[in-house]
Amino acid sequence: MPDVLELLARVDEGVYAVDGEQRIVLWNQRAQDILGYDRGEVVGRPCHEIIAGTDDYCLAVCQRDCLVMRAARVRGRAPSHEIHTRTKDGREVWLHISHVVVPAARDSLVTVAHIFRDVTAERQSRAALKRVI
């Protein structure tokens, strides 16, 4: 039977997972399709170096010991959210990210899978609608 990360990698959304040190341990094909980074370029690197996401106010969301990792450790779950980032080729995108905390025997071994999709077009549509109203 496949493990949880193998199953999550098959989701038709972008998926990356990080270990307790926030190093990327999984990067699926859809993540590559959406963000442009090849698996070999990201596995083993800190996620905040690759994703470098910000919020609506351009404040860093992705950073060492981010809110997602703290919530995962303390509560065993983390809220979904949207971030602004750039693809490998510099294109700006908004991502909606949901999280799955994969429990481990010790808290320091917790793995967090980030399941994301590109919501750039939806964000642009909402902004255009606000300008009209």
Side-chain angles (χ1 to χ4, degrees):
M1 180 167 168
D3 72 13
V4 174
L5 291 180
E6 288 175 13
L7 291 172
L8 288 172
R10 297 178 189 172
V11 172
D12 193 29
E13 304 280 351
V15 178
Y16 69 95
V18 300
D19 63 13
E21 299 297 316
Q22 291 179 260
R23 291 181 306 248
I24 297 172
V25 296
L26 170 87
W27 186 267
N28 77 349
Q29 182 60 49
R30 285 293 293 142
Q32 181 176 329
D33 296 344
I34 295 168
L35 294 174
Y37 294 98
D38 180 87
R39 186 176 294 114
E41 295 176 279
V42 300
V43 170
R45 292 185 58 192
C47 57
H48 55 88
E49 289 180 6
I50 302 299
I51 305 301
T54 59
D55 65 12
D56 287 311
Y57 304 102
C58 298
L59 298 174
V61 173
C62 298
Q63 54 193 335
R64 184 174 306 283
D65 198 34
C66 66
L67 291 174
V68 169
M69 291 304 289
R70 282 186 270 158
R73 284 188 197 104
V74 172
R75 298 186 353 216
R77 59 189 164 88
S80 62
H81 60 277
E82 290 185 357
I83 64 164
H84 175 258
T85 189
R86 292 182 181 271
T87 62
K88 180 180 177 180
D89 64 7
R91 185 173 47 89
E92 294 186 27
V93 293
W94 280 93
L95 304 176
H96 178 85
I97 307 177
S98 296
H99 311 280
V100 176
V101 178
V102 181
R106 297 190 321 247
D107 288 342
S108 62
L109 298 178
V110 70
T111 300
V112 179
H114 300 67
I115 303 167
F116 65 93
R117 62 187 171 85
D118 184 343
V119 294
T120 306
E122 292 141 20
R123 296 277 303 210
Q124 291 170 340
S125 295
R126 283 188 297 217
L129 186 58
K130 280 184 179 180
R131 286 191 299 270
V132 171
I133 296 177

